[in-house]
Amino acid sequence: MLTAQDVKAAVSRYWSGRAAGFDQGASHGVLNEAQHQAWLQLLRELAGPAPLTVLDVGCGTGFLALRMAELGHTATGIDLSEEMLALARRKAEDAELPATFRLGDAEAPPQDGAPYDVILERHVIWTLPQPREAVRGWRALLKPGGLLVLIEGLFEMSDRSVYPQLAAQLPLYGGRAGEELATFIEAEGFVETAVRPLMDATLWLETPSRPRFMVTGRRPLRTGASSGPCV
């Protein structure tokens, strides 16, 4: 049986192999200005006034970290793929954005730089062999009242050449419904959870054929706080 580290290495190799063309997909890169502005508006509404400290876990080529830097936040992205990180750094340099990108495990992010106001990810949690441990780690790195953002969906897996062999060791393989993910993070101590559909065609250049959504929750301001999900 593969260890968690074996699974992470296989996932990293898969995405490293896709790095060169990664940003050409509408679910990964910015392909026109309307899409660009739609994501900026979404993240502006979500995060509120700058500057905040932000960690983008499993950042890939830096999509979320770069958008947050554009909005004036102090953004750091981590990923296990050096190929992805090299592209993220190049984009930050080309755009003259002060985002930082470094090697790091989404399940166990580096503690230096914490605590953060916001931790966010896009299409990452389903790729993790230990997602519950990841959520616990993210909670620990947030400030009291800090915001966790999961931009997720239900994904078609038939074209994933590596994942069928790993499916049994990825507990959230293929994605889970937003309400299920909200319950998942509540179980690890997040409160004020909410699910927001992200079906606007402008975000993805076409209306998604499968559900896309955003799940949010906050680290409690005090120990023992609790709150149910809002949909």
Side-chain angles (χ1 to χ4, degrees), residues 15 19 22-23 28 56-64 66 77-89 91 101-102 122 124:
W15 290 109
F22 187 75
D23 285 341
H28 301 143
D56 179 4
V57 292
C59 68
T61 60
F63 182 91
L64 291 175
L66 291 169
I78 62 166
D79 203 280
L80 284 175
S81 168
E82 287 283 14
E83 290 81 358
M84 291 282 193
L85 291 169
L87 292 169
R89 294 181 186 116
K91 290 196 292 183
F101 295 98
R102 57 189 295 194
R122 188 167 76 155
V124 169

Side-chain angles (χ1 to χ4, degrees), residues 42 46 149-152 194-198 212-216:
L42 175 68
L46 178 71
V149 181
L150 312 178
I151 297 174
E152 288 294 334
V195 181
R196 174 175 172 173
L198 296 180
R212 301 290 182 96
F213 46 81
M214 177 169 63
V215 178
T216 57

Side-chain angles (χ1 to χ4, degrees), residues 8-9 11 15 26 38 42 49 64 76 78 94-95 98 104 111 125 127 130 133 135 155-156 160 165 181 187 191 212:
K8 292 178 192 180
V11 170
W15 290 109
L42 175 68
L64 291 175
T76 299
I78 62 166
D94 290 346
Q111 296 189 13
I125 197 168
T127 72
Q130 301 171 123
E133 287 79 356
V135 171
F155 304 106
E156 171 56 54
R160 308 286 182 176
Q165 295 90 335
L181 287 178
V191 299
R212 301 290 182 96

Side-chain angles (χ1 to χ4, degrees), residues 200-212:
D200 182 354
T202 311
L203 295 170
W204 314 103
L205 301 191
E206 62 182 6
T207 302
S209 61
R210 297 173 68 84
R212 301 290 182 96

Side-chain angles (χ1 to χ4, degrees), residues 106-121:
E107 288 190 345
Q111 296 189 13
D112 54 314
Y116 294 96
D117 295 297
V118 181
I119 294 178
L120 70 175
E121 60 91 350

